Amino acid sequence: MPGFETWGAEERNEVNDVLNTGILMRYGFDGPRKNIWKAKDLENAICSTFGVPYAQLTSSGTSAITTAMAALGIGYGDEVIMPAFTFVASFEAVLSVGAIPVLVDVDDTLTLNPSAVKNAITSKTKCIMPVHMCGSMADMDALKTICDEHHLLLVEDACQSIGGTYHGKHLGTIGDAGTFSFDFVKTMTCGEGGVVLTNNRDVYTKCHGYTDHGHDHAGADRGADLHPFIGYNYRISELHAAVGLAQIKKLLDFLDIQRRNHTVLKNMLAEIPEISFRSIPDPQGDSCTFLSWFLPDQEMAVRVVNIMKEENILAGNFYWFDNNWHYIRKWDHLKNGITLNALSPDHKAAVMFQANKDFSASDAIMSRCISTAISLSWTEDQVKEKGKKLVGAVLKGLNN
Ligand SMILES: *Cc1c(COP(=O)(O)O)cnc(C)c1O
């Protein structure tokens, strides 16, 4: 799964270009940088790789979502519908612009359940944010139809699904804006970093300014830039962008390896009739970063997880139901509205109300689900070995 597994000479060479000039900043210093523009080059590579006209790099995936929200005018009083199964970053970004994360149930796609989304729409709803979790996609046709009917914005959190597609379009390029994360454990990495993708020039121009203190970037002299609006510093550095530039050139290879390893593992698990798999709205577009599978019930899932723990083969397998970072069940800080700085009382009350709703429909899915991360470094023998042990643990759990 993570691009860091392939760190090598390509990454070192790109970083050395930057170290040789010492210009670590992405803007300005036109003379001394000797025409080395890693962030610009990476943005261009992203546009051509993913088939999108505009890309704005950021310091992280979280700041990419924040930037997308701000550029689309999402803020005070607005509700953003998002799934109860995601990484904490998704709701952090919504909160950071002053909007209310409206968490709703997932279905067996492990992404937004379109009918749960419909039921959650109110007069305050401004945006639907599907999260393409674990390498695969939400039902984008259904969500797009809902957005069109209700005049809502569509923002894709594609941070975990770089390289995945839906009916031929790259995930992250379908909505009004989309985001990738290039943090250290993502499909391709910059060490830290992220990007906003959009087809809309105005949205891009706002992202460009917002991530650099609101600078309009209109002239050659940074110091003379005007500030049409207030921004922040969510810039990526040249060093980080250099790593990404090496990684994006390997992305197609990463995806090939993932698909190959994923197929071997899936075929082995599919021999067990009690196991079912995540449904995937467009199976051809799965980036195969994870293989996500279901046991018949929670009890069996817990038993299998415990056996995997005992047999020391749990590493790289995720039982999200018990996980602090990815599922509503353990987000006590959100449920209790614990922030370091005060929120407005209305905002806090709305956030807490949304986080404390009934998520039993998601529980019924997540309590049975295990996701196996697909490594880039496995040899074919190693995949088969992993698969054999996994199958052994499952059979032991089922026969108990
Ligand atoms: C990784 C991730 C992010 C953001 O990540 P950063 O670590 O801030 O780059 C956002 N959403 C999801 C679903 C993620 O997995």
Side-chain angles (χ1 to χ4, degrees):
M1 157 199 166
F4 78 75
E5 293 178 310
T6 70
W7 176 271
E10 302 87 348
E11 284 78 4
R12 272 193 297 275
N13 287 340
E14 295 286 353
V15 171
N16 276 333
D17 287 346
V18 180
L19 293 179
N20 286 337
T21 64
I23 305 303
L24 312 186
M25 171 143 172
R26 68 158 302 177
Y27 297 117
F29 303 92
D30 293 26
R33 73 187 315 135
K34 302 201 174 95
N35 221 20
I36 304 279
W37 299 92
K38 296 301 181 188
K40 275 191 194 170
D41 290 350
L42 180 53
E43 283 166 351
N44 289 334
I46 288 170
C47 289
S48 57
T49 303
F50 300 102
V52 69
Y54 306 108
Q56 176 64 47
L57 285 167
T58 58
S59 53
S60 71
T62 313
S63 60
I65 306 172
T66 296
T67 299
M69 297 265 148
L72 289 165
I74 297 165
Y76 167 73
D78 295 332
E79 294 180 349
V80 176
I81 295 178
M82 53 166 280
F85 173 52
T86 178
F87 180 51
V88 288
S90 316
F91 68 71
E92 291 166 0
V94 175
L95 287 174
S96 75
V97 295
I100 300 161
V102 174
L103 283 87
V104 309
D105 282 319
V106 295
D107 57 23
D108 68 357
T109 64
L110 303 184
T111 66
L112 282 175
N113 177 337
S115 56
V117 169
K118 261 191 213 163
N119 291 336
I121 292 174
T122 71
S123 59
K124 292 182 179 169
T125 309
K126 176 100 172 215
C127 173
I128 297 176
M129 180 167 71
V131 182
H132 304 301
M133 277 303 271
C134 307
S136 183
M137 78 291 303
D139 183 347
M140 292 304 285
D141 280 348
L143 295 175
K144 189 97 181 44
T145 303
I146 297 172
C147 285
D148 290 347
E149 266 170 23
H150 296 267
H151 307 290
L152 303 175
L153 295 164
L154 181 60
V155 172
E156 297 170 78
D157 178 343
C159 289
Q160 287 200 9
S161 296
I162 300 169
T165 56
Y166 178 76
H167 299 334
K169 279 191 183 159
H170 273 279
L171 301 178
T173 70
I174 299 163
D176 295 285
T179 60
F180 293 157
S181 161
F182 303 130
D183 81 20
F184 196 53
V185 294
K186 294 305 204 278
T187 307
M188 59 168 269
T189 186
C190 290
E192 297 284 0
V195 70
V196 184
L197 310 169
T198 182
N199 296 295
N200 181 317
R201 187 176 173 81
D202 177 55
V203 172
Y204 163 72
T205 303
K206 286 173 175 161
C207 291
H208 193 200
Y210 188 77
T211 51
D212 187 24
H213 302 294
H215 282 300
D216 67 359
H217 297 136
D221 177 7
R222 255 181 94 67
D225 273 355
L226 298 178
H227 302 95
F229 51 78
I230 295 172
Y232 293 92
N233 176 4
Y234 294 142
R235 292 186 306 256
I236 195 165
S237 81
E238 285 286 277
L239 288 172
H240 292 91
V243 176
L245 205 49
Q247 290 259 302
I248 199 167
K249 292 172 187 161
K250 303 181 186 175
L251 182 65
L252 288 181
D253 289 339
F254 294 173
L255 295 170
D256 278 349
I257 297 170
Q258 284 179 181
R259 292 196 172 115
R260 206 168 55 221
N261 289 343
H262 184 276
T263 305
V264 174
L265 210 55
K266 184 169 181 180
N267 289 341
M268 292 179 81
L269 283 180
E271 297 281 326
I272 304 174
E274 287 88 347
I275 287 184
S276 58
F277 295 94
R278 166 188 196 173
S279 29
I280 298 181
D282 176 7
Q284 283 197 321
D286 188 354
S287 75
C288 295
T289 308
F290 287 89
L291 175 67
S292 296
W293 43 287
F294 300 105
L295 277 308
D297 60 38
Q298 178 176 350
E299 203 189 317
M300 285 188 210
V302 170
R303 217 153 52 208
V304 168
V305 168
N306 285 334
I307 290 168
M308 290 166 73
K309 218 179 278 174
E310 277 162 30
E311 298 188 347
N312 242 337
I313 57 167
L314 194 62
N317 292 276
F318 298 88
Y319 184 49
W320 308 110
F321 191 62
D322 241 358
N323 169 298
N324 292 339
W325 287 25
H326 293 87
Y327 186 52
I328 179 72
R329 195 163 84 99
K330 297 224 168 155
W331 292 342
D332 289 337
H333 59 325
L334 182 69
K335 292 182 197 177
N336 296 319
I338 299 172
T339 53
L340 292 179
N341 53 333
L343 300 183
S344 88
D346 287 359
H347 192 200
K348 179 169 172 167
V351 170
M352 288 175 65
F353 173 77
Q354 293 298 339
N356 286 284
K357 290 181 305 191
D358 172 33
F359 293 103
S360 49
S362 298
D363 286 348
I365 306 272
M366 299 312 301
S367 63
R368 299 186 294 114
C369 176
I370 297 173
S371 296
T372 304
I374 304 296
S375 171
L376 295 175
S377 63
W378 292 340
T379 64
E380 198 177 332
D381 284 346
Q382 282 171 329
V383 192
K384 286 183 180 153
E385 188 61 31
K386 297 254 170 206
K388 225 193 229 146
K389 286 183 179 162
L390 211 51
V391 166
V394 173
L395 291 177
K396 204 161 154 188
L398 293 174
N399 294 329
N400 245 317

